[in-house]
Amino acid sequence: MIDDDLRASRLTADKRPELQISFEFFPPKTDAMEEKFWESIGKLAPLKPRFVSVTYGAGGSTRERTLRMVRHITSDTGVPAAAHLTCVGATRDEIDEVVRGFAEVGVKSIVALRGDPPEGIGKPFSPHPQGYQNAADLVAGIRKLGDFDISVAAYPEKHPQSGSWDEDIDNLKRKIDAGANRAITQMFFRNSDYLRFVDRARKAGVKAPIVPGIQPIHSFKQISGFAARCGASIPDWLAERFEGLENDPDTHALVAAAVAAEQVTELLDEGVTEFHFYTLNRSNLVLALARLLGRRPD
Ligand code: FAD
């Protein structure tokens, strides 16, 4: 049994370590989705996140919408916005132009990614002949264009295209050495995978923060599909918890809240002080999780 006094999740506000949180959104496709997007941002903004980030659709397909959303987040809510950017299928000049566009609308943070081929992560990646070769190359390019805060991706279960752990961690190190400020992880559901990954990275000399990416399971079916597509695994015990709840949304929502609460409080007790939430443009579960971490709306 762990003594409650030794658990950060059991400390009151005056004794709790300082936390940093960030929220990830995707650019809405329809007016109705956009309304929901702003409603959720409105609810989460008072939690004072480090930033709200907006993803960049596969191959730059949401370029204009991502730019519009980050511009409005920055100007209308006062919350710092971070723009995701991938270098797949574009020349260096095209990407540099997008980066300048972000700077012009006041965006100072970029989540710099390689992206995937249109056929998905399972297919080999070929960089554009005049393009950035990978995420490390992109980070170095962004650094030349301005004083941005840069986040990169990390994979607690190893990127599916990394041949070995050494290759995977070397790649993360290259991204940090190229000038990234932190890594944000892919979703994971076994905290031991994340903690072991951080250990590996520290042993290899990676000193930058490695922020866990937390994916609340609003819909087990949908999240299992996302996980399969990005190479994250669903442990059997997790699948068992959601088994048979397809037609029972109330119990599904309660189990989802319990699973996410367990994940973040365990990480907090392990000494983790930075969290990135994949919101899927919803606020309810994330608001509750932030409260469990001791963060309340201002
Ligand atoms: P990289 O770090 O470049 O690495 C990818 C793989 O290539 C690794 O296996 C690495 O070891 C290998 N590699 C890299 N360089 C070399 C080299 N020189 N030689 C040999 N092998 C090499 N995708 C989107 O399309 N839009 C988004 O907005 C988006 N946001 C994301 C946010 C987060 C937090 C995360 C974790 C992922 C996100 N992704 C997004 C997905 C991401 O684009 C994919 O996971 C992609 O497959 C890898 O991107 P990366 O930046 O990690 O690539």
Side-chain angles (χ1 to χ4, degrees), residues 55-56 84 113-116 134-135 153 155 159 162 171 175 278:
T55 58
Y56 197 73
H84 291 222
L113 305 140
R114 185 199 72 178
D116 290 313
N134 48 41
Y155 301 87
H159 187 278
S162 293
N171 182 53
K175 295 194 273 193
Y278 295 109

Side-chain angles (χ1 to χ4, degrees), residues 24 54-60 84-86 88 111-117 121 125 133-136 152-155 158-164 167-169 171-172 174-175 184-187 213 230 276 278:
E24 182 169 317
V54 181
T55 58
Y56 197 73
H84 291 222
L85 176 63
T86 67
V88 58
V111 183
L113 305 140
R114 185 199 72 178
D116 290 313
I121 202 168
F125 175 82
Q133 301 296 296
N134 48 41
V152 291
Y155 301 87
K158 193 156 75 56
H159 187 278
Q161 287 162 352
S162 293
S164 66
E167 230 180 79
D168 194 80
I169 301 285
N171 182 53
L172 174 62
R174 271 197 298 276
K175 295 194 273 193
I184 299 174
T185 77
Q186 185 56 273
M187 67 169 96
C230 71
H276 180 76
Y278 295 109

Side-chain angles (χ1 to χ4, degrees), residues 263-274:
Q263 180 168 31
V264 296
T265 49
E266 265 182 32
L267 289 171
L268 187 63
D269 287 344
E270 287 288 340
V272 174
T273 55
E274 301 184 41

Side-chain angles (χ1 to χ4, degrees), residues 6-297:
L6 299 175
R7 302 181 65 180
S9 61
R10 300 295 189 267
L11 299 177
T12 46
D14 49 328
K15 302 197 185 80
R16 215 178 286 128
E18 189 70 18
L19 289 191
Q20 284 280 4
I21 53 177
S22 53
F23 303 124
E24 182 169 317
F25 281 69
F26 63 86
K29 281 198 187 114
T30 62
D31 289 350
M33 285 167 83
E34 186 160 342
E35 201 174 310
K36 178 118 186 104
F37 176 96
W38 291 114
E39 187 190 309
S40 297
I41 291 202
K43 287 192 179 144
L44 295 176
L47 294 171
K48 293 229 172 316
R50 167 191 273 148
F51 55 65
V52 166
S53 78
V54 181
T55 58
Y56 197 73
S61 54
T62 66
R63 187 164 139 172
E64 299 310 322
R65 274 185 286 140
T66 299
L67 180 66
R68 185 159 69 81
M69 293 302 131
V70 288
R71 183 175 65 219
H72 281 291
I73 291 171
T74 306
S75 65
D76 302 359
T77 71
V79 172
H84 291 222
L85 176 63
T86 67
C87 55
V88 58
T91 66
R92 283 170 185 253
D93 288 348
E94 285 164 348
I95 294 293
D96 290 357
E97 207 38 51
V98 179
V99 174
R100 288 192 196 96
F102 290 149
E104 273 164 24
V105 300
V107 170
K108 298 190 174 72
S109 289
I110 295 181
V111 183
L113 305 140
R114 185 199 72 178
D116 290 313
E119 306 80 31
I121 202 168
K123 296 288 170 217
F125 175 82
S126 331
H128 188 288
Q130 281 89 47
Y132 289 109
Q133 301 296 296
N134 48 41
D137 197 19
L138 174 62
V139 171
I142 297 170
R143 270 275 160 262
K144 284 189 197 143
L145 295 172
D147 185 20
F148 291 97
D149 169 84
I150 304 176
S151 303
V152 291
Y155 301 87
E157 298 181 74
K158 193 156 75 56
H159 187 278
Q161 287 162 352
S162 293
S164 66
W165 274 110
D166 283 352
E167 230 180 79
D168 194 80
I169 301 285
D170 280 354
N171 182 53
L172 174 62
K173 192 162 185 317
R174 271 197 298 276
K175 295 194 273 193
I176 300 295
D177 291 347
N181 300 83
R182 75 188 62 76
I184 299 174
T185 77
Q186 185 56 273
M187 67 169 96
F188 61 91
F189 298 102
R190 263 187 301 257
N191 282 344
S192 54
D193 286 341
Y194 165 79
L195 295 166
R196 216 171 285 128
F197 178 80
V198 173
D199 241 27
R200 282 191 167 104
R202 298 291 175 245
K203 281 188 185 130
V206 175
K207 296 195 176 71
I210 300 173
V211 183
I214 306 295
Q215 175 66 74
I217 304 178
H218 301 284
S219 154
F220 183 71
K221 190 168 169 228
Q222 184 190 33
I223 300 302
S224 307
F226 287 168
R229 284 198 290 282
C230 71
S233 62
I234 302 282
D236 291 344
W237 57 263
L238 185 60
E240 198 179 77
R241 287 183 180 183
F242 285 96
E243 205 176 271
L245 293 181
E246 297 79 14
N247 300 316
D248 183 353
D250 291 347
T251 312
H252 187 295
L254 289 168
V255 171
V259 164
E262 181 181 67
Q263 180 168 31
V264 296
T265 49
E266 265 182 32
L267 289 171
L268 187 63
D269 287 344
E270 287 288 340
V272 174
T273 55
E274 301 184 41
F275 294 85
H276 180 76
F277 291 97
Y278 295 109
T279 70
L280 296 181
N281 298 5
R282 298 160 190 238
S283 59
N284 55 350
L285 204 39
V286 177
L287 265 174
L289 294 173
R291 172 170 271 262
L292 290 182
L293 293 173
R295 188 67 73 93
R296 293 172 185 215

